Amino acid sequence: MTKPAHVNTVIIDTDPGIDDAIAILYALGHAGMNVVAITTVAGNIGLSVTTRNAGRICALAGVDTPVHAGAAAPLGREARPETGIHGNDGLGGVEFPEPAQAPRSHDAVAAMQAILEAHPPHSIDLHCLGPLTNLALLLQHAPAAAARIRRVIAMGGAVDEPGNVGAKAEFNLAHDPQAAALVLAAGLDLTLIPLDATRQLRADATYIAALHATGHTPAIAVAELIEAYFAANSAESRPLHDPCVPLFAQNPQLFRVEERGLAVDVDTGALIPGPLRIKVAMGLDAPALRAALLHGLSS
Ligand code: RIB
Ligand code: CA
């Protein structure tokens, strides 16, 4: 693989989760991303499972990326897992090794703060693949450290699209609406990748076969994860929500980004018209991104 022009230093904040696992495997294998930590949050499944899964994903990828466990519940409310899609183990029952090492810590926010303070200002990207609880807590407890973040790319929300939690809300923002409201209002360099874009990046049986045909372990694991995704829903294809985050980081030219005036409904987590000017990805080049994902998982 040719050496990338620029290597992004990245913290991945995540609730793995089938589609999280696909995103993480792509990021860990991409020469253009240096993942310095994975921080976990309760969301798709409880915190102990998302944290164990982060370790399992790293073990399959053959990396010793530090995993730090974060928030076990949203701000001010109970956690509500989504085992219907991700299964009781959070990875659809797909065979993954056990973690090769214990979590580095059980304080993701302190770890984020330490990493941000140890690196030059505006040199770290944050990829958010789950509820925004950890980032909200960082903003509350270490605002100076949060101000050192270069940019945040977060999968979340539904702008013009219907939601997947009720009519208008999307799971990540609906799981912790208070955190979402805090993050969107914080003035960070934030790009949201909502369902409007992620539902356009779909995987079908042909794509699964192409992943298997590469013979590469990460690509085969992703094929099995997508097959598990199908088990939860018999549609022709399944949307690849979270992989859009690292794919955007490495291929921004393949996305159409608009700026919208938004706010967060703090009861439901739905995005509503409001005063916050937020960059939102509203379209993408799905064939080119599928090819980039397959290439990244098999090179
Ligand atoms: O709405 C999709 C999002 O919710 C994805 O991040 C998926 O992993 C779930 O967390
Ligand atoms: Ca997720």
Side-chain angles (χ1 to χ4, degrees), residues 192-215:
L192 269 187
I193 306 190
L195 295 177
D196 305 75
T198 65
R199 280 179 171 150
Q200 296 178 40
L201 182 61
R202 308 189 73 84
D204 61 10
T206 305
Y207 194 63
I208 290 172
L211 287 162
H212 276 300
T214 67

Side-chain angles (χ1 to χ4, degrees), residues 17-110:
I18 287 176
D19 57 326
D20 303 68
I22 299 169
I24 295 166
L25 286 170
Y26 172 74
L28 291 175
H30 198 292
M33 282 177 278
N34 171 23
V35 180
V36 293
I38 295 176
T39 53
T40 57
V41 65
N44 285 319
I45 196 89
L47 179 66
S48 61
V49 180
T50 59
T51 304
R52 173 171 172 257
N53 286 343
R56 297 171 76 196
I57 294 161
C58 289
L60 182 123
V63 299
D64 61 354
T65 308
V67 172
H68 299 272
L75 302 182
R77 54 170 66 183
E78 293 301 307
R80 293 180 319 287
E82 185 50 78
T83 52
I85 295 176
H86 302 273
N88 290 328
D89 71 348
L91 295 177
V94 174
E95 265 308 296
F96 272 77
E98 284 308 304
Q101 53 186 358
R104 191 65 58 89
S105 85
H106 291 273
D107 189 346
V109 174

Side-chain angles (χ1 to χ4, degrees), residues 9-12 34-39 65-68 104-105 107-126 138 145-146 148-149:
T9 304
V10 178
I11 296 172
I12 298 177
N34 171 23
V35 180
V36 293
I38 295 176
T39 53
T65 308
V67 172
H68 299 272
R104 191 65 58 89
S105 85
D107 189 346
V109 174
M112 285 175 165
Q113 178 178 358
I115 293 165
L116 287 161
E117 289 171 351
H119 285 75
H122 309 301
S123 64
I124 301 266
D125 288 353
L126 186 58
L138 180 74
R148 295 170 71 92
I149 294 170

